[in-house]
Amino acid sequence: MNPAVNESACELSALHVYPIKSCGGVVLTEGLLVETGLEFDRAWMVVDEHGEMLTQRELPRMALVQPTFKGSELMLRAPGMLALHLRLDTVEAATRVRVWDDVVKAYDMGALASQWFTDFLGTGFKGRLRLARFDPEEKRLSDPTWAGEIAAENAFSDGFPVLVANTASLDDLNTRLAARGVAPVTMQRFRPNLVLSGLQPWDEDHVNEIVISTAGGPVRLRLVKPCVRCNIPNVDPLTAATSHEPGDTMAGFRSDPRMKGGVTFGMNAVVVEGIERVLRVGQKAELNWDF
């Protein structure tokens, strides 16, 4: 049976990019969709002296690095640090870095950025830290097991260009947390790019495609893989403090058989149509269901 189109009210209620992998996000009112997802999303990554990626899994304090776009610059702030200004049109030496199992071409962002991150995050066993920018000539593709015939490009995202979440699912999770005497969490914990409203809790689990109406034409996103969660949602994005929640609560009801029992929140998506079109908060969306 062909999936039916749901004409119920559904809209894009929030847009986020995370310029530096595993650091803070930027809330957008509009964002340009490019081959690797939203423009500038996960375009930079912190690496150790050997070029290996670093994330909040090892360094929760990365959550406290807050980026802001200011004209032609990306400005970074962190507690106790002077602001670091990175030009959007400037890189330094070519290098190679590893993101998960992929060794990719990138550009080093120089000694000042290296010193800034080393001072804030500390050296520890990782030695001197560096900041790398993804080389746009590199073609890092999503796993075709999930992406199918679509050659979905990625910068430094974990494996897919777009992550989609649902406000109603967060509300349901927070209801369950409250029943256990746990404080509510924000969507920041789950680091989505697109947030949808007007759905029922966990509807995103059963969506095949989202079609968003933009001024330049439709944007079609195919939801291809549930997002399995590690310990990053247990890091408070405001303080970098770690705990067992919301992970423990989610483990009680979000074990996904499609992911061999992995605990999931949100859906990874690939772009079917709409490169170079602008997504804006408030745009309407239609859903094609899996059933």
Side-chain angles (χ1 to χ4, degrees):
M1 182 176 68
N2 290 329
V5 176
N6 183 347
E7 299 289 355
S8 62
C10 174
E11 72 174 36
L12 184 57
S13 61
L15 283 169
H16 306 265
V17 294
Y18 308 87
I20 302 173
K21 184 178 182 68
S22 229
C23 293
V26 178
V27 177
L28 304 176
T29 56
E30 63 178 49
L32 179 68
L33 190 65
V34 298
E35 287 81 1
T36 56
L38 289 175
E39 186 178 30
F40 300 123
D41 188 53
R42 278 87 169 189
W44 292 264
M45 181 171 72
V46 181
V47 299
D48 67 15
E49 60 188 358
H50 304 295
E52 301 284 338
M53 77 170 186
L54 294 174
T55 73
Q56 288 181 41
R57 297 168 183 87
E58 305 89 13
L59 297 170
R61 276 169 58 83
M62 292 181 72
L64 303 180
V65 176
Q66 183 57 55
T68 305
F69 291 110
K70 186 175 182 180
S72 60
E73 293 183 330
L74 179 67
M75 183 170 65
L76 306 181
R77 295 187 182 278
M81 302 290 293
L82 296 174
L84 175 65
H85 296 260
L86 301 172
R87 288 193 58 83
L88 297 176
D89 60 357
T90 302
V91 294
E92 294 199 18
T95 186
R96 296 183 75 83
V97 299
R98 181 186 297 274
V99 50
W100 296 110
D101 293 332
D102 299 324
V103 177
V104 299
K105 294 183 293 183
Y107 292 98
D108 191 277
M109 294 302 296
L112 184 61
S114 172
Q115 189 65 55
W116 195 91
F117 277 97
T118 302
D119 288 347
F120 181 65
L121 297 174
T123 54
F125 68 96
K126 294 293 183 181
R128 191 170 185 81
L129 307 185
R130 303 197 71 83
L131 184 65
R133 184 167 183 177
F134 191 80
D135 184 340
E137 298 301 316
E138 182 72 75
K139 302 298 181 187
R140 178 175 173 250
L141 301 181
S142 297
D143 184 346
T145 303
W146 298 98
E149 77 285 1
I150 296 173
E153 296 185 33
N154 300 271
F156 288 132
S157 61
D158 277 352
F160 295 88
V162 178
L163 180 61
V164 179
N166 172 7
T167 56
S169 299
L170 180 68
D171 292 343
D172 180 70
L173 171 59
N174 279 327
T175 298
R176 295 169 186 266
L177 289 172
R180 291 164 59 97
V182 178
V185 296
T186 66
M187 194 63 88
Q188 284 176 279
R189 300 266 186 150
F190 300 99
R191 304 175 63 81
N193 298 117
L194 277 61
V195 181
L196 301 177
S197 62
L199 303 176
Q200 295 300 308
W202 316 111
D203 270 356
E204 65 275 21
D205 292 349
H206 309 292
V207 172
N208 178 23
E209 286 190 359
I210 303 170
V211 183
I212 303 171
S213 299
T214 80
V219 167
R220 291 174 60 209
L221 303 174
R222 186 171 299 163
L223 278 57
V224 295
K225 184 182 181 183
C227 185
V228 177
R229 294 300 173 164
C230 60
N231 65 330
I232 288 180
N234 293 339
V235 178
D236 186 329
L238 299 181
T239 66
T242 60
S243 71
H244 294 288
E245 294 288 2
D248 283 357
T249 296
M250 291 172 61
F253 76 106
R254 286 298 297 168
S255 176
D256 194 321
R258 294 175 293 180
M259 305 309 300
K260 299 181 180 179
V263 173
T264 66
F265 187 105
M267 291 290 293
N268 291 297
V270 298
V271 182
V272 180
E273 178 185 1
I275 300 300
E276 299 299 325
R277 291 174 182 162
V278 176
L279 292 170
R280 290 188 174 87
V281 171
Q283 288 171 333
K284 303 303 181 183
E286 295 178 348
L287 307 179
N288 295 332
W289 299 91
D290 275 336
F291 48 77

mmCIF file of all heavy atoms in Angstrom, residues 144-178:
data_model
loop_
_atom_site.group_PDB
_atom_site.id
_atom_site.type_symbol
_atom_site.label_atom_id
_atom_site.label_comp_id
_atom_site.label_asym_id
_atom_site.label_seq_id
_atom_site.Cartn_x
_atom_site.Cartn_y
_atom_site.Cartn_z
ATOM 1 N N PRO A 144 24.431 3.435 2.927
ATOM 2 C CA PRO A 144 23.358 3.114 1.979
ATOM 3 C C PRO A 144 22.386 2.066 2.491
ATOM 4 O O PRO A 144 21.291 1.919 1.937
ATOM 5 C CB PRO A 144 24.112 2.623 0.738
ATOM 6 C CG PRO A 144 25.446 2.190 1.248
ATOM 7 C CD PRO A 144 25.760 3.089 2.403
ATOM 8 N N THR A 145 22.758 1.326 3.524
ATOM 9 C CA THR A 145 21.815 0.394 4.143
ATOM 10 C C THR A 145 20.559 1.129 4.577
ATOM 11 O O THR A 145 19.453 0.590 4.509
ATOM 12 C CB THR A 145 22.457 -0.292 5.362
ATOM 13 O OG1 THR A 145 23.656 -0.957 4.958
ATOM 14 C CG2 THR A 145 21.508 -1.298 5.993
ATOM 15 N N TRP A 146 20.728 2.391 5.000
ATOM 16 C CA TRP A 146 19.602 3.194 5.457
ATOM 17 C C TRP A 146 19.197 4.240 4.422
ATOM 18 O O TRP A 146 18.008 4.492 4.231
ATOM 19 C CB TRP A 146 19.959 3.886 6.775
ATOM 20 C CG TRP A 146 20.242 2.925 7.869
ATOM 21 C CD1 TRP A 146 21.464 2.496 8.290
ATOM 22 C CD2 TRP A 146 19.283 2.255 8.685
ATOM 23 N NE1 TRP A 146 21.332 1.604 9.316
ATOM 24 C CE2 TRP A 146 20.007 1.433 9.592
ATOM 25 C CE3 TRP A 146 17.885 2.267 8.755
ATOM 26 C CZ2 TRP A 146 19.367 0.640 10.545
ATOM 27 C CZ3 TRP A 146 17.255 1.477 9.712
ATOM 28 C CH2 TRP A 146 17.989 0.672 10.581
ATOM 29 N N ALA A 147 20.166 4.853 3.774
ATOM 30 C CA ALA A 147 19.868 5.936 2.833
ATOM 31 C C ALA A 147 19.356 5.432 1.493
ATOM 32 O O ALA A 147 18.809 6.203 0.709
ATOM 33 C CB ALA A 147 21.112 6.798 2.629
ATOM 34 N N GLY A 148 19.561 4.145 1.213
ATOM 35 C CA GLY A 148 19.080 3.587 -0.041
ATOM 36 C C GLY A 148 19.801 4.176 -1.236
ATOM 37 O O GLY A 148 21.029 4.304 -1.245
ATOM 38 N N GLU A 149 19.027 4.565 -2.248
ATOM 39 C CA GLU A 149 19.602 5.049 -3.494
ATOM 40 C C GLU A 149 20.066 6.491 -3.413
ATOM 41 O O GLU A 149 20.705 7.001 -4.341
ATOM 42 C CB GLU A 149 18.562 4.924 -4.625
ATOM 43 C CG GLU A 149 17.460 5.990 -4.647
ATOM 44 C CD GLU A 149 16.373 5.832 -3.599
ATOM 45 O OE1 GLU A 149 16.452 4.881 -2.789
ATOM 46 O OE2 GLU A 149 15.442 6.653 -3.577
ATOM 47 N N ILE A 150 19.785 7.173 -2.297
ATOM 48 C CA ILE A 150 20.148 8.586 -2.152
ATOM 49 C C ILE A 150 21.582 8.695 -1.640
ATOM 50 O O ILE A 150 21.916 8.153 -0.590
ATOM 51 C CB ILE A 150 19.185 9.299 -1.202
ATOM 52 C CG1 ILE A 150 17.771 9.295 -1.806
ATOM 53 C CG2 ILE A 150 19.643 10.729 -0.934
ATOM 54 C CD1 ILE A 150 16.707 9.836 -0.879
ATOM 55 N N ALA A 151 22.418 9.396 -2.391
ATOM 56 C CA ALA A 151 23.799 9.646 -1.963
ATOM 57 C C ALA A 151 23.782 10.845 -1.026
ATOM 58 O O ALA A 151 23.994 11.986 -1.436
ATOM 59 C CB ALA A 151 24.698 9.901 -3.163
ATOM 60 N N ALA A 152 23.510 10.581 0.258
ATOM 61 C CA ALA A 152 23.326 11.641 1.239
ATOM 62 C C ALA A 152 24.669 12.076 1.805
ATOM 63 O O ALA A 152 25.354 11.294 2.466
ATOM 64 C CB ALA A 152 22.405 11.156 2.355
ATOM 65 N N GLU A 153 25.042 13.327 1.558
ATOM 66 C CA GLU A 153 26.333 13.843 2.008
ATOM 67 C C GLU A 153 26.256 14.359 3.446
ATOM 68 O O GLU A 153 25.211 14.826 3.904
ATOM 69 C CB GLU A 153 26.797 14.972 1.087
ATOM 70 C CG GLU A 153 27.069 14.520 -0.341
ATOM 71 C CD GLU A 153 27.639 15.636 -1.189
ATOM 72 O OE1 GLU A 153 28.372 16.486 -0.634
ATOM 73 O OE2 GLU A 153 27.349 15.667 -2.399
ATOM 74 N N ASN A 154 27.388 14.255 4.132
ATOM 75 C CA ASN A 154 27.497 14.725 5.509
ATOM 76 C C ASN A 154 28.784 15.507 5.679
ATOM 77 O O ASN A 154 29.784 15.214 5.021
ATOM 78 C CB ASN A 154 27.538 13.546 6.478
ATOM 79 C CG ASN A 154 26.308 12.678 6.399
ATOM 80 O OD1 ASN A 154 25.328 12.913 7.088
ATOM 81 N ND2 ASN A 154 26.351 11.654 5.545
ATOM 82 N N ALA A 155 28.751 16.479 6.582
ATOM 83 C CA ALA A 155 29.999 17.067 7.059
ATOM 84 C C ALA A 155 30.421 16.234 8.269
ATOM 85 O O ALA A 155 30.682 15.048 8.148
ATOM 86 C CB ALA A 155 29.797 18.539 7.380
ATOM 87 N N PHE A 156 30.453 16.841 9.469
ATOM 88 C CA PHE A 156 30.893 16.095 10.652
ATOM 89 C C PHE A 156 29.732 15.566 11.489
ATOM 90 O O PHE A 156 29.928 15.186 12.648
ATOM 91 C CB PHE A 156 31.784 16.978 11.526
ATOM 92 C CG PHE A 156 33.147 17.239 10.953
ATOM 93 C CD1 PHE A 156 33.659 18.531 10.908
ATOM 94 C CD2 PHE A 156 33.936 16.208 10.465
ATOM 95 C CE1 PHE A 156 34.923 18.791 10.401
ATOM 96 C CE2 PHE A 156 35.196 16.452 9.943
ATOM 97 C CZ PHE A 156 35.695 17.746 9.911
ATOM 98 N N SER A 157 28.511 15.514 10.935
ATOM 99 C CA SER A 157 27.416 14.884 11.671
ATOM 100 C C SER A 157 27.741 13.410 11.893
ATOM 101 O O SER A 157 28.604 12.837 11.218
ATOM 102 C CB SER A 157 26.106 15.025 10.896
ATOM 103 O OG SER A 157 26.206 14.377 9.648
ATOM 104 N N ASP A 158 27.040 12.777 12.823
ATOM 105 C CA ASP A 158 27.355 11.381 13.109
ATOM 106 C C ASP A 158 27.192 10.492 11.885
ATOM 107 O O ASP A 158 28.002 9.594 11.666
ATOM 108 C CB ASP A 158 26.470 10.864 14.242
ATOM 109 C CG ASP A 158 27.026 11.239 15.615
ATOM 110 O OD1 ASP A 158 28.154 11.761 15.682
ATOM 111 O OD2 ASP A 158 26.326 10.999 16.615
ATOM 112 N N GLY A 159 26.136 10.715 11.098
ATOM 113 C CA GLY A 159 25.978 9.824 9.957
ATOM 114 C C GLY A 159 24.919 10.215 8.958
ATOM 115 O O GLY A 159 24.796 9.580 7.904
ATOM 116 N N PHE A 160 24.140 11.261 9.270
ATOM 117 C CA PHE A 160 23.061 11.677 8.384
ATOM 118 C C PHE A 160 22.969 13.199 8.388
ATOM 119 O O PHE A 160 23.306 13.848 9.387
ATOM 120 C CB PHE A 160 21.725 11.059 8.829
ATOM 121 C CG PHE A 160 21.724 9.557 8.708
ATOM 122 C CD1 PHE A 160 22.178 8.765 9.750
ATOM 123 C CD2 PHE A 160 21.316 8.936 7.543
ATOM 124 C CE1 PHE A 160 22.211 7.387 9.651
ATOM 125 C CE2 PHE A 160 21.348 7.551 7.424
ATOM 126 C CZ PHE A 160 21.793 6.773 8.474
ATOM 127 N N PRO A 161 22.487 13.794 7.295
ATOM 128 C CA PRO A 161 22.540 15.259 7.192
ATOM 129 C C PRO A 161 21.548 16.022 8.052
ATOM 130 O O PRO A 161 21.799 17.183 8.378
ATOM 131 C CB PRO A 161 22.289 15.520 5.696
ATOM 132 C CG PRO A 161 21.669 14.282 5.170
ATOM 133 C CD PRO A 161 22.169 13.152 6.007
ATOM 134 N N VAL A 162 20.409 15.408 8.416
ATOM 135 C CA VAL A 162 19.364 16.137 9.136
ATOM 136 C C VAL A 162 18.807 15.244 10.248
ATOM 137 O O VAL A 162 18.563 14.052 10.022
ATOM 138 C CB VAL A 162 18.220 16.570 8.196
ATOM 139 C CG1 VAL A 162 17.117 17.294 8.965
ATOM 140 C CG2 VAL A 162 18.737 17.465 7.071
ATOM 141 N N LEU A 163 18.582 15.831 11.415
ATOM 142 C CA LEU A 163 17.914 15.126 12.507
ATOM 143 C C LEU A 163 16.599 15.834 12.816
ATOM 144 O O LEU A 163 16.579 17.046 13.034
ATOM 145 C CB LEU A 163 18.807 15.098 13.750
ATOM 146 C CG LEU A 163 18.224 14.384 14.968
ATOM 147 C CD1 LEU A 163 17.951 12.921 14.669
ATOM 148 C CD2 LEU A 163 19.167 14.506 16.168
ATOM 149 N N VAL A 164 15.524 15.061 12.847
ATOM 150 C CA VAL A 164 14.169 15.587 13.023
ATOM 151 C C VAL A 164 13.611 15.118 14.367
ATOM 152 O O VAL A 164 13.738 13.940 14.725
ATOM 153 C CB VAL A 164 13.247 15.107 11.885
ATOM 154 C CG1 VAL A 164 11.824 15.635 12.081
ATOM 155 C CG2 VAL A 164 13.794 15.550 10.531
ATOM 156 N N ALA A 165 13.004 16.045 15.114
ATOM 157 C CA ALA A 165 12.385 15.710 16.393
ATOM 158 C C ALA A 165 10.973 16.282 16.448
ATOM 159 O O ALA A 165 10.571 17.082 15.601
ATOM 160 C CB ALA A 165 13.227 16.224 17.559
ATOM 161 N N ASN A 166 10.236 15.893 17.472
ATOM 162 C CA ASN A 166 8.813 16.187 17.598
ATOM 163 C C ASN A 166 8.565 16.756 18.994
ATOM 164 O O ASN A 166 8.915 16.132 20.000
ATOM 165 C CB ASN A 166 8.040 14.878 17.369
ATOM 166 C CG ASN A 166 6.550 14.971 17.647
ATOM 167 O OD1 ASN A 166 6.010 16.047 17.907
ATOM 168 N ND2 ASN A 166 5.882 13.832 17.600
ATOM 169 N N THR A 167 7.954 17.937 19.075
ATOM 170 C CA THR A 167 7.709 18.565 20.375
ATOM 171 C C THR A 167 6.825 17.703 21.264
ATOM 172 O O THR A 167 7.019 17.660 22.486
ATOM 173 C CB THR A 167 7.056 19.946 20.209
ATOM 174 O OG1 THR A 167 5.849 19.822 19.452
ATOM 175 C CG2 THR A 167 7.987 20.918 19.506
ATOM 176 N N ALA A 168 5.851 17.004 20.674
ATOM 177 C CA ALA A 168 4.945 16.180 21.479
ATOM 178 C C ALA A 168 5.683 15.013 22.127
ATOM 179 O O ALA A 168 5.325 14.577 23.222
ATOM 180 C CB ALA A 168 3.796 15.669 20.619
ATOM 181 N N SER A 169 6.702 14.497 21.461
ATOM 182 C CA SER A 169 7.485 13.410 22.046
ATOM 183 C C SER A 169 8.258 13.902 23.263
ATOM 184 O O SER A 169 8.352 13.207 24.281
ATOM 185 C CB SER A 169 8.442 12.828 20.999
ATOM 186 O OG SER A 169 7.727 12.299 19.908
ATOM 187 N N LEU A 170 8.819 15.107 23.170
ATOM 188 C CA LEU A 170 9.508 15.682 24.324
ATOM 189 C C LEU A 170 8.526 15.900 25.469
ATOM 190 O O LEU A 170 8.851 15.620 26.637
ATOM 191 C CB LEU A 170 10.176 16.995 23.945
ATOM 192 C CG LEU A 170 10.926 17.680 25.085
ATOM 193 C CD1 LEU A 170 12.159 16.870 25.486
ATOM 194 C CD2 LEU A 170 11.340 19.099 24.694
ATOM 195 N N ASP A 171 7.320 16.383 25.154
ATOM 196 C CA ASP A 171 6.308 16.591 26.203
ATOM 197 C C ASP A 171 5.977 15.273 26.899
ATOM 198 O O ASP A 171 5.842 15.221 28.127
ATOM 199 C CB ASP A 171 5.043 17.198 25.598
ATOM 200 C CG ASP A 171 5.244 18.623 25.106
ATOM 201 O OD1 ASP A 171 6.241 19.263 25.514
ATOM 202 O OD2 ASP A 171 4.409 19.089 24.309
ATOM 203 N N ASP A 172 5.844 14.209 26.110
ATOM 204 C CA ASP A 172 5.538 12.905 26.691
ATOM 205 C C ASP A 172 6.683 12.432 27.589
ATOM 206 O O ASP A 172 6.459 11.918 28.695
ATOM 207 C CB ASP A 172 5.278 11.886 25.591
ATOM 208 C CG ASP A 172 4.954 10.503 26.144
ATOM 209 O OD1 ASP A 172 3.858 10.339 26.718
ATOM 210 O OD2 ASP A 172 5.798 9.591 26.020
ATOM 211 N N LEU A 173 7.906 12.605 27.125
ATOM 212 C CA LEU A 173 9.058 12.228 27.938
ATOM 213 C C LEU A 173 9.066 13.005 29.242
ATOM 214 O O LEU A 173 9.299 12.434 30.328
ATOM 215 C CB LEU A 173 10.351 12.471 27.166
ATOM 216 C CG LEU A 173 11.650 12.317 27.957
ATOM 217 C CD1 LEU A 173 11.788 10.915 28.538
ATOM 218 C CD2 LEU A 173 12.852 12.656 27.077
ATOM 219 N N ASN A 174 8.794 14.304 29.185
ATOM 220 C CA ASN A 174 8.818 15.116 30.403
ATOM 221 C C ASN A 174 7.699 14.722 31.371
ATOM 222 O O ASN A 174 7.880 14.794 32.595
ATOM 223 C CB ASN A 174 8.744 16.600 30.061
ATOM 224 C CG ASN A 174 10.103 17.152 29.666
ATOM 225 O OD1 ASN A 174 11.131 16.711 30.176
ATOM 226 N ND2 ASN A 174 10.112 18.116 28.756
ATOM 227 N N THR A 175 6.562 14.286 30.851
ATOM 228 C CA THR A 175 5.500 13.765 31.717
ATOM 229 C C THR A 175 5.983 12.526 32.465
ATOM 230 O O THR A 175 5.739 12.362 33.667
ATOM 231 C CB THR A 175 4.251 13.435 30.884
ATOM 232 O OG1 THR A 175 3.756 14.627 30.282
ATOM 233 C CG2 THR A 175 3.156 12.834 31.753
ATOM 234 N N ARG A 176 6.692 11.669 31.763
ATOM 235 C CA ARG A 176 7.231 10.456 32.384
ATOM 236 C C ARG A 176 8.338 10.786 33.385
ATOM 237 O O ARG A 176 8.440 10.140 34.442
ATOM 238 C CB ARG A 176 7.747 9.508 31.301
ATOM 239 C CG ARG A 176 6.641 8.972 30.383
ATOM 240 C CD ARG A 176 7.244 8.271 29.177
ATOM 241 N NE ARG A 176 6.251 7.861 28.210
ATOM 242 C CZ ARG A 176 5.685 6.647 28.168
ATOM 243 N NH1 ARG A 176 6.037 5.727 29.054
ATOM 244 N NH2 ARG A 176 4.792 6.356 27.244
ATOM 245 N N LEU A 177 9.162 11.774 33.072
ATOM 246 C CA LEU A 177 10.187 12.187 34.017
ATOM 247 C C LEU A 177 9.554 12.743 35.297
ATOM 248 O O LEU A 177 9.998 12.426 36.409
ATOM 249 C CB LEU A 177 11.093 13.245 33.381
ATOM 250 C CG LEU A 177 12.034 12.771 32.277
ATOM 251 C CD1 LEU A 177 12.712 13.971 31.608
ATOM 252 C CD2 LEU A 177 13.098 11.820 32.820
ATOM 253 N N ALA A 178 8.507 13.554 35.142
ATOM 254 C CA ALA A 178 7.838 14.128 36.310
ATOM 255 C C ALA A 178 7.258 13.039 37.204
ATOM 256 O O ALA A 178 7.309 13.142 38.443
ATOM 257 C CB ALA A 178 6.739 15.095 35.860
#
